[in-house]
Amino acid sequence: MRGELVTPTGASLLVALIQPQKMGEFPSEPWIIDKTGVGAGTRNPPEYPNICRLMVGHVQNVIKVNMPANLLDTTLSVLECNIDDMTAEIFGYVMELLISHDQVLDVWFTNIQMKKNRPALMLSVLCKPEHEKAVLEILFRETSTIGVRRRKVDRLALDRSLSKVQTRYGEVNVKCAFLNGKIINVAPEYEECKEIATKLKIPLIDVMDSAKCAGLGLYPNMNNL
């Protein structure tokens, strides 16, 4: 690249008005563009357009909502890819493979319509940011995708505990969730309840109801159900 890219006056203004480490970056907070200016230089270099654009704006006031106490606020990653050339058997296998990894928090499919009127599935994976590499390796190795989208999401979750309870059918692990000091959800472990129901040849709902009642009994002073 030959020639002067910026005048001394322009460089001085940039140094005085902008933090050098943030040049070229948009504010992380929501902001509104007030004015936009675009100027073209007299030279016409073949390597790049000789155009400068300046945007002036202000940070938008964000209304803060008072959230319930004891919520777990975490930043997670969502990795997604659109696939229209895989069989249902492979989709099912990939989901089972992802769920079996401790790094993966959730996996789901979304029906979508792609180019050339092709029905397809969007494969979405929720994980912690530090586990993105392991998930990406699975997606690229086990699926036909050649590109994966990545975005950060904020998750607000209830405080919870995992306990083993004794039911009339046997021991079952239950997950109890709390909000403002009250227990508002009891979820028995499905696979354990399914195993008991299959072994004893009884309705699954009976096993799950029994485990749920036992879970509520762990916190008699916090029962809000």
Side-chain angles (χ1 to χ4, degrees):
M1 214 175 273
R2 292 179 296 177
E4 185 181 66
L5 298 181
V6 62
T7 65
T9 303
S12 301
L13 289 173
L14 289 175
V15 172
L17 300 176
I18 302 176
Q19 298 180 21
Q21 65 273 20
K22 292 188 176 182
M23 288 183 61
E25 295 183 3
F26 287 98
S28 57
E29 305 87 355
W31 67 296
I32 297 176
I33 299 175
D34 297 320
K35 297 179 181 179
T36 299
V38 179
T42 56
R43 287 185 299 174
N44 189 23
E47 298 89 357
Y48 58 90
N50 191 15
I51 296 175
C52 178
R53 181 174 64 171
L54 175 66
M55 291 181 290
V56 178
H58 65 276
V59 175
Q60 184 178 10
N61 292 326
V62 179
I63 300 176
K64 295 185 178 181
V65 180
N66 292 326
M67 303 301 295
N70 301 323
L71 285 181
L72 306 177
D73 189 354
T74 54
T75 298
L76 301 174
S77 295
V78 175
L79 303 176
E80 294 178 336
C81 55
N82 299 346
I83 303 175
D84 63 358
D85 58 352
M86 267 179 24
T87 65
E89 292 90 346
I90 298 179
F91 274 113
Y93 172 79
V94 172
M95 173 176 274
E96 292 177 1
L97 182 63
L98 288 166
I99 287 294
S100 66
H101 282 255
D102 295 335
Q103 296 94 336
V104 174
L105 301 175
D106 201 1
V107 183
W108 65 95
F109 297 132
T110 305
N111 290 315
I112 59 175
Q113 193 80 12
M114 292 181 63
K115 60 185 179 181
K116 300 182 181 179
N117 294 321
R118 295 174 181 170
L121 288 178
M122 179 171 65
L123 171 57
S124 303
V125 184
L126 183 69
C127 66
K128 294 182 179 179
E130 59 267 28
H131 297 151
E132 287 183 4
K133 181 180 178 181
V135 174
L136 285 171
E137 289 181 355
I138 295 175
L139 293 177
F140 285 126
R141 185 179 65 246
E142 300 288 347
T143 75
S144 60
T145 188
I146 58 175
V148 176
R149 297 182 299 277
R150 177 182 62 182
R151 57 187 170 88
K152 294 291 189 295
V153 295
D154 294 327
R155 183 183 70 171
L156 299 176
L158 294 172
D159 189 16
R160 76 287 304 269
S161 68
L162 185 65
S163 305
K164 187 179 291 292
V165 297
Q166 182 67 43
T167 74
R168 56 187 296 189
Y169 307 111
E171 287 187 336
V172 176
N173 281 305
V174 295
K175 186 180 296 181
C176 300
F178 309 92
L179 178 65
N180 296 328
K182 298 288 185 179
I183 182 170
I184 64 169
N185 188 283
V186 177
E189 289 296 320
Y190 167 76
E191 292 294 340
E192 296 179 8
C193 293
K194 175 184 173 183
E195 182 179 354
I196 292 175
T198 303
K199 181 179 179 181
L200 300 180
K201 293 181 172 57
I202 58 176
L204 173 62
I205 190 172
D206 291 347
V207 182
M208 299 188 74
D209 286 345
S210 179
K212 186 173 182 178
C213 290
L216 289 172
L218 296 174
Y219 304 94
N221 297 327
M222 300 175 62
N223 191 352
N224 198 41
L225 291 176

